[in-house]
């Protein structure tokens, strides 16, 4: 059971968790990413491609499902304008045993940073506005999944 | 050759438009050629495309390198490296 | 903010998540472990030590908090008699960045299996009842944390 | 020497009791000695403690190896390897 969604509306984490957890699977892992107000950030704008962004998320979800035995997978990404504290991304994975669920969540959040068509623009209280540059660390983490069998 | 070009993030901002339809001159055969042509075409193009190493491209929804051949028609997306998640 | 609890009552996953997530931290990771009904299992009984079990959980939580920069940590373990589908353990960790929260959750669930005074007894539909034996795989996973710096 | 012994999981089931207070004979100085004495004391003890490699121990809440010295008084927990989580 794979659920993938991209949208500008707020992510209802509790409702998504409840729906995903209703399966009562042996092991469920999750990751919630939120906007940080570091350095006086007032707005995060996430630009997306109407076709490539959902397509990329669906491809990542399919890749995780092929790689690990998952009972359920939820991958939800918000786009558009967000304030500090709001949820950007939610990843939920369930499996019979813990190793699969934990690995799938980590894989998905690492690869999301480098493989999906999303661009972050930050606005700060002092008026600065700028596009975020790609971080080397994100690539190093994402590439771990190329080298290892799991 | 009639291509729809779509721009994202700071490429879109520098170009001042989100998309346009173009017919590149003869000799523009690859993604790399297209970027080079746009960089010389006008001021917004120079601002957006003068550092080709910073530009990524997709042809009809599939990632394409600088050497990829342009199709006779289709959508070419041009954008900076992604920073999502 | 560290919360550790051991008890025989059902774990309210949604309420714990809501309380933990209220901090609005940049990154929150979680793990939920539930009783599996494999092989006709009808009851899981988890025996604990009234002093050593909570003490061991508190020590593990403190170890995680010393190892990673965590904004919040929740570690709740159920003991006593449970039915398939019920939650045995809940681990929540939040931090500014994803790597810390993900690593802390994985560390805690791995080490729980080998370091905390808990013993599982399984009862099956066909009348079999037996204590679970320690698995080599659990030790291998827990020992990974001895070798690596993170 | 008056020690409170507490038993857990199948050690408790085999002993038939959860705890007891004992005064071991002279010469029982370590955790290993205590396990050996219990294994010879009676039938439940033989059933529970005849494989010392399967037994873990804690003295007053701290894990202790077979060579650890017994205190003059305190709680000794005896149990199989843990399987929690």
């Amino acid at each position: 059971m794979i659920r993938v969604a991209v949208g500008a509306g707020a992510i209802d984490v509790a409702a998504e968790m409840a729906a995903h957890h209703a399966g009562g699977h042996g092991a469920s892992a999750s990751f919630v990413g939120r906007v940080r107000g570091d350095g006086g950030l007032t707005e995060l704008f996430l630009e997306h491609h109407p076709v490539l962004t959902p397509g990329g998320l669906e491809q990542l979800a399919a890749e995780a499902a092929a790689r690990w035995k998952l009972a359920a997978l939820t991958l939800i990404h918000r786009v558009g304008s967000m304030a500090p504290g709001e949820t950007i991304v939610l990843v939920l994975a369930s499996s019979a045993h813990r190793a699969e669920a934990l690995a799938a969540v980590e894989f998905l959040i690492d690869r999301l940073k480098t493989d999906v068509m999303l661009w972050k623009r930050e606005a700060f209280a002092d008026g600065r506005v700028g596009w975020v540059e790609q971080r080397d660390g994100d690539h190093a983490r994402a590439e771990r999944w190329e080298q290892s069998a799991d | 050759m009639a291509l729809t070009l779509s721009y994202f993030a700071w490429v879109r901002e520098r170009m001042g438009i989100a998309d346009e339809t173009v017919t590149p001159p003869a000799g523009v055969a690859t993604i790399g050629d297209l970027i080079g042509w746009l960089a010389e075409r006008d001021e917004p193009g120079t601002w957006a495309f003068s550092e080709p190493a910073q530009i990524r491209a997709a042809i009809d929804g599939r990632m394409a390198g600088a050497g990829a051949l342009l199709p006779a028609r289709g959508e070419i997306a041009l954008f900076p490296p992604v920073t999502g998640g």
Side-chain angles (χ1 to χ4, degrees), chain A residues 47 52 113 118-120 131, chain B residues 9 12-13 61 63 80 83 85:
Chain A
E47 181 158 335
L52 295 181
K113 300 269 174 183
L118 289 164
W119 300 271
K120 278 180 178 158
W131 293 92
Chain B
R12 174 180 54 72
E13 286 187 343
M63 291 297 293
T83 53

Side-chain angles (χ1 to χ4, degrees), chain A residues 45 47-50 52 77 88-89 112-121 131-134, chain B residues 6-10 12-13 54 56 58 60-63 75 77 79-85:
Chain A
F45 176 78
E47 181 158 335
H48 74 295
H49 185 294
L52 295 181
H77 217 297
I88 312 173
V89 61
L112 268 174
K113 300 269 174 183
T114 56
D115 285 27
V116 177
M117 299 281 150
L118 289 164
W119 300 271
K120 278 180 178 158
R121 192 185 63 201
W131 293 92
V132 175
E133 287 192 22
Q134 205 167 41
Chain B
S6 60
Y7 308 122
F8 293 88
W10 55 255
R12 174 180 54 72
E13 286 187 343
Q54 292 303 308
R56 303 288 177 273
D60 291 327
R62 291 172 169 271
M63 291 297 293
E75 191 219 348
F79 44 83
V82 301
T83 53

Side-chain angles (χ1 to χ4, degrees), chain A residues 25-128:
Chain A
H25 309 294
S28 297
S30 82
F31 181 82
V32 181
R34 298 186 192 84
V35 180
R36 292 193 309 279
D38 296 0
L41 181 136
T42 53
E43 186 208 22
L44 180 74
F45 176 78
L46 208 54
E47 181 158 335
H48 74 295
H49 185 294
V51 177
L52 295 181
T53 309
L57 288 171
E58 273 157 31
Q59 198 180 314
L60 268 192
E63 213 177 308
R67 201 158 177 159
W68 294 283
K69 207 173 168 172
L70 301 176
L73 182 57
T74 302
L75 184 51
I76 301 184
H77 217 297
R78 189 164 170 196
V79 293
S81 177
M82 286 161 261
E86 292 193 300
T87 299
I88 312 173
V89 61
L90 173 65
V91 182
L92 305 173
S94 289
S95 53
H97 301 276
R98 73 186 188 285
E100 289 84 351
L102 289 164
V105 165
E106 202 170 350
F107 166 85
L108 287 167
I109 192 68
D110 281 350
R111 293 283 295 272
L112 268 174
K113 300 269 174 183
T114 56
D115 285 27
V116 177
M117 299 281 150
L118 289 164
W119 300 271
K120 278 180 178 158
R121 192 185 63 201
E122 298 175 329
F124 296 90
D126 61 8
R128 281 178 300 129

